[in-house]
Amino acid sequence: MKIDIGPVTRLEGHLNINTTVENNIITDAKSMGEMFRGFEVFLLGRDPLDAQQITQRICGVCPYAHAIASSYAQEAAYRLRTPPNGRILHNLIQGANHLYDYLLHFYQLSALDFIDVTAITGYTGKDRDLTHLKEWVNHALGSGDSHPAAPFLPRLSGTYVTDADINITALKHYVESLEIQKKANRASAIFGGRFPHATGIFPGGCTRPPDIDAISSYQALIHEVKHFIHHKYLPDLLAVAGAFPEYWHIGQSKGGFMSYGLLPFGPEPDSPRLLSPGVLIDGKVETVKTGAITEDVKFAKYSSPSGLKVTQGRLTPAPHKEGAYSWVKAPRYGGHVLEVGPAARILVDYLQGGNETVKQLVDRFAGMADIRPEQLNSVLGRHLCRAVSAVVIADFLLDQTEQINPSAPFIPEIKIPEAGEGFGLTEASRGALLHYIRIRNYKIDHYECVVPTTWNCSPRDDTGRPGALESALIGTRVEDPAQQIEANRIVHSFDPCLACAVH
Ligand code: NFE
């Protein structure tokens, strides 16, 4: 039986998932990106310094990650010497955006897969937010309208958390988290400019001086976000995990993992990062080699050649190409299928003995769940790894604010060369993000983005192997083949952004 479960909601962009279900088991899955965009085409011929502005428009959720990847790529192409303050400001902007994004993903995009929003109808307290929510849901349940109370209802059939306290507490935090997300974005905006598309980010630094007022405002906001992470986000996540322990084993991808490493300690291109980079294939972590990345298009809607390296990338749309089922390309690493994102980021760091707090948290939570760290590529593992990332990022950002020298330079003089090229590698919230720029005659001659959701939601490659999300869906048992709440939970655990994936 073939069933489309798309358009999948509570994610960014246009994703359809085509499943084949036999005896309640998903025996095949196709991840279909349903939109063409073409940023790499219209960047050609532009001033290179436009790139970190234009590529932010790829996405309204992770724009800063694109600006930072583009800035790193340009720093390499211009051979810029980035001042320490410049790198710190990049980190402060990008890191706060991660915190915003993890909260958005957990509460608004995923929590209601598990939390029973109808539990609010039994609420008898006096909290204003919850009373409002109760009226909203009560009205919706009685209205008979098929889309009565978005974003809360309708919902898929399945089992939800039964404990009223867990449900009500998480719903309260669902509402509160919106204010906290705003604070994280305000923190980024202090140095980068207003969310979502910051005008202040440049190669090597930012346009806003890091004076004492700006630093202390940033610190105050991040302290509030950190408090929410420790006292609300982590406990809510663990409560969900306690109610659905089977999801430590559901939704496991069947390839390797890659992280480019997140948040450099210093200004140099090869500075160690808060979370270390690496590729994990067959149990071994290796150094990332950008030359090993290729993009297949046999099943993607492009007529340009398949299997090209990043430096050769081409993009000729072919909407009616036979056999093609997605606008997302299929990136591979030396031919390997890779999962990127929070689980990859944490696992690659953990297995290299990187961050001490990561090690402690992973050991603690893996012990509680009775899983091996290698099993973090599950629905709950991905959620947990976002929370672990949030904990270490918040501390790192506060520490970085102490490293700023307010009287030192915060942006270098930028001189665009006649010719040059550079890679920019960072971790967006959703995973490994690469930008490549080549400059000829002072203009952009070639620009390529290989984006987290392009890896995770990739279609088959030329040899027919499914992408990470497709492989995570195949083999899953679904109670109700028409609705497939289990598949939706798997998709959401990857936090796909199709706007980014097709760029
Ligand atoms: Ni549009 Fe993005 C992130 C990037 S995902 S959200 O995080 O890059 O592919």
Side-chain angles (χ1 to χ4, degrees):
M1 177 169 34
K2 284 197 186 305
I3 302 169
D4 279 355
I5 60 166
V8 185
T9 56
R10 294 199 185 116
L11 50 75
E12 300 87 351
H14 304 64
L15 175 68
N16 190 10
I17 301 284
N18 177 257
T19 58
T20 305
V21 180
E22 288 164 24
N23 299 322
N24 290 72
I25 303 289
I26 298 176
T27 55
D28 193 17
K30 290 201 170 84
S31 162
M32 307 156 103
E34 305 207 302
M35 171 175 64
F36 174 71
R37 301 188 73 200
F39 272 72
E40 288 148 340
V41 177
F42 60 75
L43 278 161
L44 299 180
R46 290 198 171 257
D47 186 316
L49 264 181
D50 288 349
Q52 83 282 0
Q53 294 301 333
I54 292 176
T55 56
Q56 283 189 66
R57 272 74 184 169
I58 288 173
C59 184
V61 183
C62 68
Y64 298 156
H66 287 288
I68 296 295
S70 182
S71 296
Y72 289 178
Q74 292 179 63
E75 286 169 28
Y78 307 164
R79 299 177 189 275
L80 270 189
R81 286 177 69 88
T82 299
N85 274 350
R87 182 65 73 236
I88 293 172
L89 292 181
H90 279 176
N91 287 344
L92 296 185
I93 294 167
Q94 186 184 11
N97 183 243
H98 270 248
L99 302 183
Y100 146 76
D101 208 342
Y102 298 139
L103 297 179
L104 169 78
H105 176 256
F106 180 70
Y107 285 101
Q108 279 71 46
L109 302 182
S110 296
L112 298 187
D113 286 350
F114 301 97
I115 295 297
D116 182 4
V117 71
T118 66
I120 197 69
T121 58
Y123 178 68
T124 53
K126 295 204 169 11
D127 181 272
R128 235 186 58 194
D129 289 340
L130 289 176
T131 306
H132 186 194
L133 183 58
K134 176 179 169 176
E135 285 164 10
W136 195 343
V137 172
N138 266 337
H139 172 77
L141 290 173
S143 75
D145 184 338
S146 61
H147 295 283
F152 303 109
L153 291 168
R155 59 177 193 174
L156 300 173
S157 65
T159 313
Y160 290 83
V161 168
T162 53
D163 183 304
D165 282 347
I166 294 177
N167 284 320
I168 302 286
T169 304
L171 291 170
K172 171 74 181 151
H173 296 164
Y174 178 109
V175 179
E176 267 181 50
S177 77
L178 296 168
E179 279 302 315
I180 300 296
Q181 289 165 41
K182 208 161 85 183
K183 288 178 197 286
N185 282 335
R186 276 176 54 202
S188 295
I190 290 171
F191 299 110
R194 187 196 251 187
F195 185 80
H197 297 130
T199 48
I201 304 172
F202 274 79
C206 292
T207 51
R208 167 72 152 92
D211 54 47
I212 298 292
D213 278 356
I215 296 168
S216 54
S217 301
Y218 183 93
Q219 287 170 330
L221 290 162
I222 296 300
H223 273 296
E224 285 189 70
V225 178
K226 177 180 168 181
H227 186 271
F228 187 92
I229 289 166
H230 284 259
H231 297 281
K232 301 187 175 174
Y233 173 30
L234 254 179
D236 286 342
L237 169 55
L238 294 179
V240 166
F244 290 90
E246 65 274 23
Y247 278 89
W248 290 110
H249 305 278
I250 292 175
Q252 295 194 281
S253 65
K254 298 169 188 76
F257 303 88
M258 180 166 70
S259 165
Y260 292 148
L262 177 64
L263 300 172
F265 285 104
E268 298 81 17
D270 55 353
S271 294
R273 298 186 176 196
L274 172 69
L275 297 172
S276 304
V279 184
L280 171 59
I281 294 170
D282 298 333
K284 283 213 323 258
V285 183
E286 292 176 8
T287 308
V288 175
K289 296 188 190 76
T290 51
I293 299 169
T294 52
E295 292 187 292
D296 282 0
V297 296
K298 181 171 175 187
F299 295 97
K301 298 180 181 186
Y302 301 100
S303 58
S304 23
S306 195
L308 294 179
K309 289 181 184 264
V310 174
T311 51
Q312 309 164 321
R314 300 253 300 277
L315 196 72
T316 313
H320 308 299
K321 182 171 139 184
E322 202 176 328
Y325 63 88
S326 180
W327 287 104
V328 180
K329 293 181 182 177
R332 295 294 183 262
Y333 185 92
H336 291 275
V337 178
L338 300 181
E339 172 175 340
V340 300
R345 180 151 68 237
I346 292 300
L347 199 48
V348 160
D349 183 82
Y350 175 90
L351 292 177
Q352 295 179 97
N355 187 289
E356 189 50 35
T357 309
V358 165
K359 182 171 171 2
Q360 284 169 10
L361 290 174
V362 167
D363 286 343
R364 186 162 115 220
F365 294 127
M368 276 166 57
D370 197 18
I371 57 161
R372 286 177 291 111
E374 289 77 3
Q375 291 172 294
L376 286 174
N377 66 331
S378 57
V379 169
L380 285 177
R382 293 183 192 100
H383 286 296
L384 176 71
C385 288
R386 283 187 191 90
V388 169
S389 301
V391 168
V392 294
I393 289 170
D395 284 341
F396 174 80
L397 296 178
L398 292 169
D399 184 63
Q400 286 269 286
T401 59
E402 306 288 344
Q403 315 295 327
I404 294 176
N405 174 357
S407 52
F410 49 90
I411 188 165
E413 189 185 339
I414 297 173
K415 204 159 169 266
I416 296 170
E418 190 274 332
E421 65 174 346
F423 283 92
L425 276 59
T426 187
E427 285 287 296
S429 315
R430 286 158 198 75
L433 173 63
L434 178 153
H435 281 209
Y436 169 76
I437 189 169
R438 190 168 62 228
I439 301 166
R440 294 282 180 271
N441 204 16
Y442 304 100
K443 300 286 185 218
I444 297 175
D445 177 62
H446 182 58
Y447 205 97
E448 189 79 13
C449 309
V450 187
V451 179
T453 301
T454 318
W455 287 97
N456 285 338
C457 288
S458 98
R460 268 33 175 194
D461 57 30
D462 289 9
T463 64
R465 275 169 318 172
L469 170 63
E470 292 179 338
S471 77
L473 287 165
I474 294 168
T476 302
R477 182 177 175 79
V478 291
E479 275 310 309
D480 175 358
Q483 299 217 356
Q484 302 188 25
I485 191 169
E486 303 85 352
N488 277 269
R489 285 169 173 159
I490 293 170
V491 174
H492 286 162
S493 74
F494 281 90
D495 190 12
C497 173
L498 275 293
C500 276
V502 293
H503 53 276

